[in-house]
Amino acid sequence: MQKGNITKYKPYPLVDLPDRQWPSRSIVSAPIWCSVDLRDGNQALPTPMGIKEKLEMFKLLVNIGFKEIEVGFPSASQIEFDFIRRLIDENLIPDDVTIQVITQAREELITRTFEAIRGAKRVILHLYNSTSPAQRRLVFGLDKAGITGIATRGTRIVKDLVATVPETEIIYQYSPESFVLTELDYALEICEAVMDVWQPTPDKKMILNLPETVQISTPNVYADQIEWFLRNMKNRESVIMSVHTHNDRGTGVASSELSLMAGAERVEGTLFGNGERTGNVDIVTLALNMYMQGVDPKLDFSNIKEVAEVYKRCTRMDIHDRHPYAGSLVFTAFSGSHQDAINKGMAALDPTPGALWEVPYLPIDPKDIGCSYEAIIRINSQSGKGGVAYIMESEYGFQLPKEMRIEFGKAINAIADERGEELQPQEIYQAFEREYLQRTSPFKLEGFHSEEITDGAGNTTVECIARISVDGNDREIRGQGNGPIDAFVRAINEAKLADFKLVSYSEHSLDEGAEARAVAYIQIQMGDGRNCFGAAIGTDIKVASINAVLSAINRSQA
């Protein structure tokens, strides 16, 4: 960037609204949603959708719950016209869905638009013209009166043509395109001039759509513009206030959210933010932002993966791995501290239906949008013990003791550091097998028997007889203790095969049923003060526990 280029730009002026009210408001209900995927989104595609893709996308939008869908610009191309006719002629529009069509304010285009919608039950007819000073000067060469004349003449033509489609309810929508770049007082003037022609009433409202066609300021300025407009307009009760934000500054969602707080009632946007330049507002993100605040968005994204797949197939566009809610990595933590907090949060969840969702780093339950918990925690060199423990439990059922998580986590970190890439769950389990379950050298259990012995005073002890292989040589050892594990530990020590003591023991089942397997975890402390864990699996928990002791001893001598 060359020095001095910054002088080509200037900050956008603020709105004089010292008593603005929107900052203290909250979004407490869903707006009227209008999808513009099939028009605004489609016109921005390198390869626009054909009729087949448009039909699939229309069906998806209906299934999600959109009640207003902009289906095209029928005067712009034959494909657009034919698609709309097919929707109408084949009766593909549900009774509770209103289609929207858009046109510029030219008589021949408006007439063609009416030909396209003939026979539809209910249609929003959207007329727009550009109103900003740059557009007035550079594109049209007209003053304000000339631009207003375009809007009012177009409105009169629409109003006159309504009689030619008596079977169709026409809802009129007007957009002063480039609203945010237009002087506020003039934007209000041209909209009120259009209202004077159309004559909306509280029972038969029109839609005023104030688009952020190109983002040129922070979202709070757009909210101020909306609030100022609503405060100053006449016949507010006869208008549905709509917004249509783009994402040039990366704040399309914020602009729409703040405009709703400022009084807007309707939002136009697209799935995943597809649209011209950096795109339209992303309705998926906007709706799910409401959902995670406890507000019903009235749109169904309970199967976000299916929505994403249809979108990608129809538009030939991708979805970024970090895209809010829908990206492949948005519920994934690699960081050790994040993983530990998520693991603890998941373990502490209240299973009661409707209980508050409180899991650190996860603002929404992935299952609410059709995602699983499998990819919440993934392991690389940045991961820690909590993430490893989560993988072992969620994927394989192992509930590692707290201290063992630290020990095994270090082993996994060493592998990840060496590999320099993410480790898959099966690779973590294979490392667990190598580190604990397959440790059979130098000690290996060949046979084990224990029985209770009661002396004359009624005291009971357990005696064990074990046959173990030591570097390939069989040894029989005996010991007594307060249980089978204690007796085996004593037998090993008394035979001077190892010098250690038992620190902790835990076990749990891995399966259900008569042949269920159990896993035993043993922590020992060697004579030199070192601590080691061992683990073993078996259908006989007593034998598994003895093998876990040998696993720990073998690891201590590795």
Side-chain angles (χ1 to χ4, degrees):
M1 185 176 293
Q2 295 181 1
K3 185 178 180 181
N5 282 354
I6 195 70
T7 58
K8 295 192 299 184
Y9 307 100
K10 63 179 181 179
Y12 191 78
L14 301 179
V15 179
D16 184 17
L17 198 68
D19 60 340
R20 58 184 57 83
Q21 300 299 307
W22 64 260
S24 61
R25 297 172 184 158
S26 300
I27 299 172
V28 296
S29 60
I32 300 167
W33 299 107
C34 179
S35 162
V36 295
D37 289 88
L38 294 169
R39 197 277 304 173
D40 201 347
N42 185 55
Q43 75 181 33
L45 296 174
T47 304
M49 288 181 275
I51 290 180
K52 177 183 176 182
E53 290 84 10
K54 278 176 163 273
L55 287 170
E56 184 176 9
M57 180 65 79
F58 181 80
K59 182 178 179 181
L60 173 69
L61 296 170
V62 169
N63 289 340
I64 290 170
F66 284 96
K67 302 304 180 186
E68 296 183 3
I69 301 172
E70 190 167 75
V71 291
F73 201 146
S75 62
S77 76
Q78 191 62 42
I79 289 179
E80 298 277 288
F81 188 95
D82 291 344
F83 170 64
I84 295 167
R85 287 310 318 162
R86 186 162 177 181
L87 289 177
I88 298 168
D89 293 338
E90 296 185 12
N91 198 28
L92 299 176
I93 305 168
D95 288 343
D96 63 345
V97 172
T98 302
I99 61 169
Q100 177 170 303
V101 291
I102 189 168
T103 181
Q104 294 170 319
R106 289 159 49 189
E107 184 170 5
E108 70 277 15
L109 302 182
I110 297 171
T111 300
R112 179 69 167 163
T113 301
F114 270 85
E115 292 173 6
I117 64 172
R118 191 176 306 278
K121 179 178 178 180
R122 187 171 52 254
V123 176
I124 297 170
L125 198 145
H126 181 189
L127 182 140
Y128 74 95
N129 69 311
S130 296
T131 56
S132 68
Q135 293 268 21
R136 298 195 305 259
R137 184 179 74 255
L138 300 174
V139 179
F140 298 99
L142 294 172
D143 59 10
K144 291 179 181 178
I147 295 295
T148 300
I150 292 174
T152 54
R153 282 194 300 274
T155 303
R156 288 191 187 95
I157 294 168
V158 172
K159 190 170 185 179
D160 290 343
L161 287 173
V162 168
T164 67
V165 286
E167 73 283 3
T168 303
E169 177 187 354
I170 298 293
I171 301 164
Y172 187 54
Q173 173 172 318
Y174 173 69
S175 291
E177 194 199 15
S178 60
F179 161 76
V180 292
L181 287 164
T182 302
E183 308 93 320
L184 266 178
D185 57 350
Y186 177 57
L188 178 61
E189 177 186 321
I190 192 170
C191 287
E192 289 187 337
V194 167
M195 291 171 64
D196 287 342
V197 174
W198 190 257
Q199 293 291 304
T201 67
D203 294 329
K204 197 171 180 60
K205 298 182 180 183
M206 69 172 287
I207 301 168
L208 277 182
N209 187 57
L210 304 183
E212 191 181 39
T213 311
V214 178
Q215 287 194 318
I216 41 75
S217 64
T218 50
N220 60 295
V221 176
Y222 184 54
D224 280 350
Q225 291 173 317
I226 299 298
E227 183 171 334
W228 183 95
F229 194 100
L230 288 171
R231 283 195 198 183
N232 289 278
M233 70 177 294
K234 64 183 181 182
N235 298 330
R236 168 69 182 94
E237 69 282 356
S238 299
V239 167
I240 297 170
M241 183 55 62
S242 176
V243 291
H244 178 124
T245 64
H246 279 254
N247 201 43
D248 300 271
R249 292 168 52 94
T251 57
V253 169
S255 288
S256 289
E257 288 178 329
L258 298 192
S259 69
L260 289 173
M261 293 160 59
E265 305 154 279
R266 181 179 184 268
V267 172
E268 294 186 348
T270 60
L271 299 179
F272 308 110
N274 180 41
E276 296 281 14
R277 304 179 309 281
T278 55
N280 291 275
V281 68
D282 174 6
I283 285 185
V284 176
T285 299
L286 193 56
L288 289 175
N289 281 358
M290 294 179 190
Y291 182 88
M292 58 88 70
Q293 292 288 310
V295 176
D296 183 358
K298 306 298 183 182
L299 294 176
D300 182 5
F301 292 111
S302 60
N303 192 344
I304 195 75
K305 291 182 179 179
E306 181 184 4
V307 174
E309 286 306 312
V310 174
Y311 164 82
K312 289 189 288 187
R313 183 166 60 249
C314 291
T315 65
R316 301 175 181 85
M317 299 286 283
D318 290 325
I319 295 173
H320 195 279
D321 289 343
R322 300 292 183 187
H323 193 105
Y325 303 105
S328 62
L329 294 176
V330 297
F331 296 119
T332 299
F334 288 102
S335 163
S337 60
H338 289 207
Q339 291 175 342
D340 187 56
I342 290 171
N343 189 25
K344 291 173 179 175
M346 295 293 288
L349 271 179
D350 184 347
T352 306
L356 192 65
W357 173 259
E358 289 183 303
V359 177
Y361 301 109
L362 293 179
I364 189 173
D365 185 347
K367 285 191 173 180
D368 284 353
I369 55 174
C371 299
S372 71
Y373 295 146
E374 292 178 4
I376 288 179
I377 291 176
R378 288 162 60 176
I379 306 301
N380 62 16
S381 60
Q382 305 300 307
S383 305
K385 66 183 188 304
V388 174
Y390 179 85
I391 293 293
M392 289 299 294
E393 181 169 0
S394 64
E395 297 284 338
Y396 302 105
F398 289 84
Q399 301 165 19
L400 304 185
K402 184 176 181 180
E403 294 300 319
M404 189 179 186
R405 297 176 186 180
I406 299 173
E407 181 184 88
F408 184 48
K410 290 178 179 178
I412 293 299
N413 275 136
I415 296 171
D417 276 335
E418 181 180 355
R419 293 265 298 274
E421 60 186 16
E422 180 185 354
L423 299 182
Q424 299 302 314
Q426 63 267 27
E427 295 176 300
I428 296 169
Y429 179 70
Q430 289 165 2
F432 184 79
E433 285 186 314
R434 292 192 301 271
E435 191 69 29
Y436 298 98
L437 305 182
Q438 297 172 353
R439 293 283 190 161
T440 58
S441 178
F443 300 100
K444 181 179 180 182
L445 185 67
E446 301 291 351
F448 180 82
H449 173 75
S450 66
E451 60 182 36
E452 292 185 353
I453 301 173
T454 304
D455 62 18
N459 299 314
T460 301
T461 59
V462 173
E463 181 179 51
C464 80
I465 302 172
R467 185 165 55 87
I468 61 175
S469 171
V470 183
D471 291 324
N473 300 311
D474 280 2
R475 289 280 303 271
E476 184 176 277
I477 58 175
R478 294 172 178 263
Q480 291 186 0
N482 57 21
I485 300 173
D486 184 48
F488 182 72
V489 169
R490 290 174 183 270
I492 289 281
N493 281 306
E494 289 168 3
K496 300 189 182 302
L497 296 175
D499 177 20
F500 70 98
K501 65 179 180 179
L502 186 69
V503 176
S504 67
Y505 165 77
S506 61
E507 56 158 280
H508 64 80
S509 62
L510 289 172
D511 312 301
E512 297 180 356
E515 297 299 317
R517 298 173 306 152
V519 58
Y521 310 101
I522 294 286
Q523 183 184 19
I524 64 172
Q525 185 177 71
M526 305 305 294
D528 59 9
R530 288 181 298 121
N531 282 277
C532 261
F533 272 92
I537 297 172
T539 54
D540 184 332
I541 189 57
K542 183 165 58 177
V543 174
S545 301
I546 301 305
N547 276 321
V549 173
L550 293 178
S551 167
I553 298 172
N554 290 334
R555 292 187 67 251
S556 73
Q557 298 187 21

